[in-house]
Amino acid sequence: MTAATLWLMLQAMVATLPVGLLPMALLAAWILVRGIWLWASALGRDPLTRSFAILSLFLLIGCFWAERPLDSLLGMANLIPYFALFLVVRHLLGGGGALEQKLWRLAKVWAIAAIPVMGLGLVQYHLGWLQRIHWVMGVSTLALPETVDRLTSTFFHANNLACYLLVTLTMTVAILGRSRFKVPWMASLLLHGYCLYLTNSRSGWIGAIIIALAWLVYYRWWLLVAALLLPVVVSLMAAFAPLPIATPLRQVVPLVIWGRLNDQLFPQRPIADTRLFQWQFAITRIQDRPVTGWGFQIYSDLYYEATQYRLGHPHNLALTLGFAVGIPLTLAVFVLLGSILWRGVRCWQDLPYLSSQKTVGLAYLTALGSYHLYNLTDVTLYETRLNVLGWVLLGAITSFRAWGHPTERDSRADCVAGNEMSPLHH
């Protein structure tokens, strides 16, 4: 199997990602196995491979100190296979002059695949075809979603759909800016905004605003920046300002917005269901075992014992990892991923302003940025489709190394490590 075939399979995986877990998982597994077989020598020489191998070894060793070692070992399936998938995607995309075309093609696949997902969600929300849609989707959602009163489409929770739409939103904006056919992409953009609103996801709303600001600043449309910030500030004041200021503003801003922002939309919400309480509980448990952590698949039991409320994770990626693997390994994960992302940004910064490369690069950077913004108040680690999505985005960003300047030694060194190791770079 050639790299060209794997490239087609990667596009198919991205296209089927929101539709069903089984076809996406099979494609991801096949790309992983064949990619390792095809680039075994190059992957073995890649410094990043060694870094992830060492990290994986320490993560596996740490399972022996977990509260339930076997469960923690099984929980590593949410991390270690994705390290390998990231390394394969990075080599698959990082191929010289074809990189720009590959990134644009993948962005279009993401943007187009989102349209039927949003369409199904709107049918579900407005026509009440929830059970029928989830029966058709089969293995993608084996049960009814948790949030039946919010837009979920093919995802189990509205927040998961919001995270997915943030990624496809920024891809749509990038394509709109360079396409000669503006109308369909503008329609898709408006559809994204409407669907994100119906998810009733605060992280989705904030992410969409940040994405819009990033693109408006990139194009230097300062008047539109001001026009966007005005309703944002008014909504925040309606939610959080003192009552003499907030009360008249609440006559203008819909309750579904300011009430959702300050949580007054659900006044009877149990305290155990609030983010602040969940974070406080996770921090306390991390303090009990700061070095080794408690392990995976035990948080839910501990939380239920303390609150009589079932919760799978503390709704924050850093706290989730800190609880599961301890502070040292959590820092190691974030330092490694942060250094990879920083080098990708350094390579992107040197590109010509408004060039095709710079524009598509910004699409992937804002997509990953909004993805991790979501991880501040939720966790993608346990949603296989979103987990795959994040690692593919990071793999795409590391491929920016192909845009480094080989005549400038320092700049080349700053670009993502391993460009001289990849056979696709030559």
Side-chain angles (χ1 to χ4, degrees), residues 36 38-51 53 87 90-91 417-426:
I36 292 174
L38 186 61
W39 295 304
S41 178
L43 287 169
R45 296 193 305 269
D46 191 335
L48 276 182
T49 301
R50 293 193 288 271
S51 297
L87 292 167
R90 143 189 168 83
H91 279 264
N419 58 344
E420 71 278 3
M421 300 296 183
S422 172
L424 294 176
H425 183 74
H426 301 289

Side-chain angles (χ1 to χ4, degrees), residues 8 47 71 74 105 118 161 173 219-220 223 236 283 420:
L8 292 175
D71 285 344
L74 294 174
R105 174 64 65 86
M118 292 186 289
L161 173 63
V173 173
Y219 285 117
R220 299 175 182 173
L223 289 177
L236 290 175
I283 291 171
E420 71 278 3

